[in-house]
């Protein structure tokens, strides 16, 4: 189902999962006051109306026994009010995480207060699995160089850990995992971008190499923490840039390709979370968008074939 330009992946009383296209701002700002993903979702929900959820009929609590009838009625009404407040639909759904304007993919919204708390705790505990697809190439701006300790650790299938640098992405096997670790902060010289710096918040990013076709590397990326521009800033600190990134990639960091890419090759394609109230683990996926598929086919055919093999 389409919500304006936003695809609906999943919906129930407690949860809404959507697939945001690139180029769409996720939430109104002073620069983008309307025409956002948020506006599209609100318009969809307003048109849809409420649902038929009702609080469960519960027996009186044992400690109410012996209380006067008026007191028992008051306690029942108080409990009913609490159930509506905690499990009834919020006036507006709550965004529990965000994507950059030019990043496409999965976004989750909580529709009730208890669902919101349930999801926020998972983000806080780093138990939600967010996976992105990215294509990178060598090259980054000088301002992106780490200004404090930044490490890249290569973890082999046998568990052995070795400190490396970004060039090892090009020689990795698909059983290797890289952990990028360094605090992220706003760049004091340009507040719109982020850098690895001494005043930053702790940030860790896990990276797996899916395929290599010089000068490109196809990655699956899992942010362990959730800092602003984390994937883009960590890769830039490693001396790499996401293809098509207008902020972190130097304009000449890759050779011209058969099909220009109008935005960054970064797509949030997978989200795993525990759904309220069942607490069961659910996996959601957003297909690779057509513009990224077309670019892979025309510019990196071996990466495209690798993706088709992995995506069977």
């Amino acid at each position: 189902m389409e919500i304006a330009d936003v695809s609906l992946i999943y919906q129930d009383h407690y949860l809404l999962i959507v697939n945001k296209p690139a180029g769409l701002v996720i939430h109104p700002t002073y620069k983008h006051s309307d025409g956002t993903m948020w506006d599209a979702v609100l318009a969809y929900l307003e048109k849809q109306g409420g649902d038929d959820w009702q609080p469960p009929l519960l027996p009186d609590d044992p400690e109410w026994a012996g209380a006067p009838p008026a007191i028992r009625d008051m306690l029942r009404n108080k409990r009913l009010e609490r159930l509506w407040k905690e499990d009834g639909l919020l006036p507006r759904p709550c965004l529990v995480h965000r994507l950059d304007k030019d990043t496409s993919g999965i976004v989750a919204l909580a529709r009730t207060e208890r669902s919101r708390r349930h999801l926020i705790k998972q983000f806080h505990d780093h138990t939600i699995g967010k996976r992105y697809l990215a294509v990178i190439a060598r090259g980054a701006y000088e301002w992106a160089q780490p200004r404090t300790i930044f490490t890249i650790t290569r973890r082999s299938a046998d568990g052995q850990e070795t400190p490396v640098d970004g060039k090892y992405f090009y020689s990795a096997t698909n059983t290797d995992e890289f952990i990028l670790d360094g605090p992220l902060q706003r760049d004091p010289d340009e507040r719109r971008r982020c850098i690895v710096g001494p005043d930053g918040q702790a940030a860790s990013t896990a990276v797996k190499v899916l395929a290599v076709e010089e000068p490109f590397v196809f990655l699956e990326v899992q942010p362990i923490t959730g800092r602003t521009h984390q994937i883009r800033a960590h890769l830039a600190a490693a001396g790499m840039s996401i293809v098509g990134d207008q902020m972190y990639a130097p304009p000449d960091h890759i050779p011209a390709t058969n099909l220009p890419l109008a935005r960054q090759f970064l797509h949030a394609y997978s989200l795993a979370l525990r759904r309220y109230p069942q607490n069961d683990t659910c996996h959601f996926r957003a297909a690779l968008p057509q513009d990224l598929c077309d670019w892979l086919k025309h510019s990196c055919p071996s990466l495209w074939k690798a993706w088709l093999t992995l995506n069977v």
Side-chain angles (χ1 to χ4, degrees):
M1 181 183 299
E2 294 291 328
I3 309 172
D5 293 328
V6 179
S7 298
L8 178 64
I9 296 175
Y10 176 82
Q11 177 182 354
D12 64 19
H13 175 75
Y14 303 95
L15 183 65
L16 193 66
I17 305 291
V18 299
N19 182 9
K20 185 190 84 71
L24 188 65
V25 175
I26 203 166
H27 195 278
T29 66
Y30 73 96
K31 288 186 178 180
H32 302 277
S33 59
D34 55 22
T36 66
M37 188 202 81
W38 179 249
D39 296 313
V41 169
L42 290 183
Y44 163 76
L45 292 176
E46 182 178 0
K47 183 177 180 180
Q48 187 184 51
D51 59 19
D52 59 358
W53 182 87
Q54 292 288 327
L57 295 175
L58 301 174
D60 287 355
D61 288 351
E63 57 265 30
W64 299 355
I71 297 297
R72 292 201 300 271
D73 285 342
M74 180 270 293
L75 292 171
R76 292 185 196 111
N77 288 333
K78 289 283 188 182
R79 182 174 63 184
L80 188 62
E81 289 175 6
R82 186 177 69 252
L83 288 172
W84 274 111
K85 182 178 180 180
E86 295 187 337
D87 279 337
L89 290 176
L90 292 168
R92 293 184 171 190
C94 178
L95 280 164
V96 292
H97 65 121
R98 303 191 180 200
L99 295 179
D100 299 335
K101 174 186 175 183
D102 290 326
T103 300
S104 55
I106 293 179
V107 179
L109 300 95
R111 303 191 69 200
T112 72
E113 175 58 24
R114 281 187 174 174
S115 178
R116 183 193 70 83
R117 295 200 300 259
H118 188 68
L119 292 173
I120 291 295
K121 185 177 188 305
Q122 292 175 67
F123 276 103
H124 182 267
D125 295 341
H126 309 307
T127 57
I128 279 187
K130 295 188 296 179
R131 286 179 167 79
Y132 293 70
L133 298 173
V135 174
I136 63 170
R138 298 178 185 89
Y141 285 106
E142 186 175 349
W143 56 257
Q145 292 183 1
R147 307 181 193 184
T148 190
I149 296 174
F150 174 70
T151 60
I152 304 176
T153 303
R154 183 178 188 172
R155 185 179 296 158
S156 303
D158 60 4
Q160 183 177 356
E161 296 187 352
T162 309
V164 297
D165 57 36
K167 70 182 181 183
Y168 281 86
F169 293 155
Y170 285 84
S171 60
T173 70
N174 57 14
T175 61
D176 290 334
E177 182 179 51
F178 297 88
I179 304 297
L180 284 58
D181 194 281
L184 290 173
Q185 66 178 71
R186 294 285 183 177
D187 186 344
D189 298 323
E190 172 51 82
R191 299 290 296 175
R192 293 177 300 173
R193 65 198 186 203
C194 294
I195 59 168
V196 173
D199 298 323
Q201 294 178 297
S204 295
T205 306
V207 172
K208 287 187 176 181
V209 173
L210 300 179
V212 177
E213 181 180 339
E214 286 281 1
F216 304 111
V217 182
F218 195 16
L219 301 177
E220 180 188 78
V221 187
Q222 181 177 4
I224 299 169
T225 51
R227 310 303 180 198
T228 300
H229 293 187
Q230 177 171 317
I231 295 173
R232 300 160 70 193
H234 265 178
L235 289 171
M240 305 289 165
S241 299
I242 295 174
V243 172
D245 193 328
Q246 300 299 306
M247 180 175 292
Y248 288 87
D252 57 351
H253 90 293
I254 61 169
T257 57
N258 296 332
L259 182 68
L261 189 59
R263 54 98 164 193
Q264 62 206 26
F265 198 119
L266 185 60
H267 175 65
Y269 88 103
S270 174
L271 181 68
L273 54 81
R274 286 181 287 108
R275 178 178 53 173
Y276 180 85
Q278 299 94 330
N279 204 38
D280 56 332
T281 300
C282 295
H283 296 264
F284 304 102
R285 295 190 71 174
L288 196 64
Q290 193 61 49
D291 62 333
L292 301 186
C293 289
D294 291 342
W295 187 85
L296 276 182
K297 290 177 188 176
H298 288 86
S299 304
C300 311
S302 66
L303 299 189
W304 173 246
K305 291 178 182 177
W307 169 241
L308 291 179
T309 301
L310 291 166
N311 200 39
V312 171

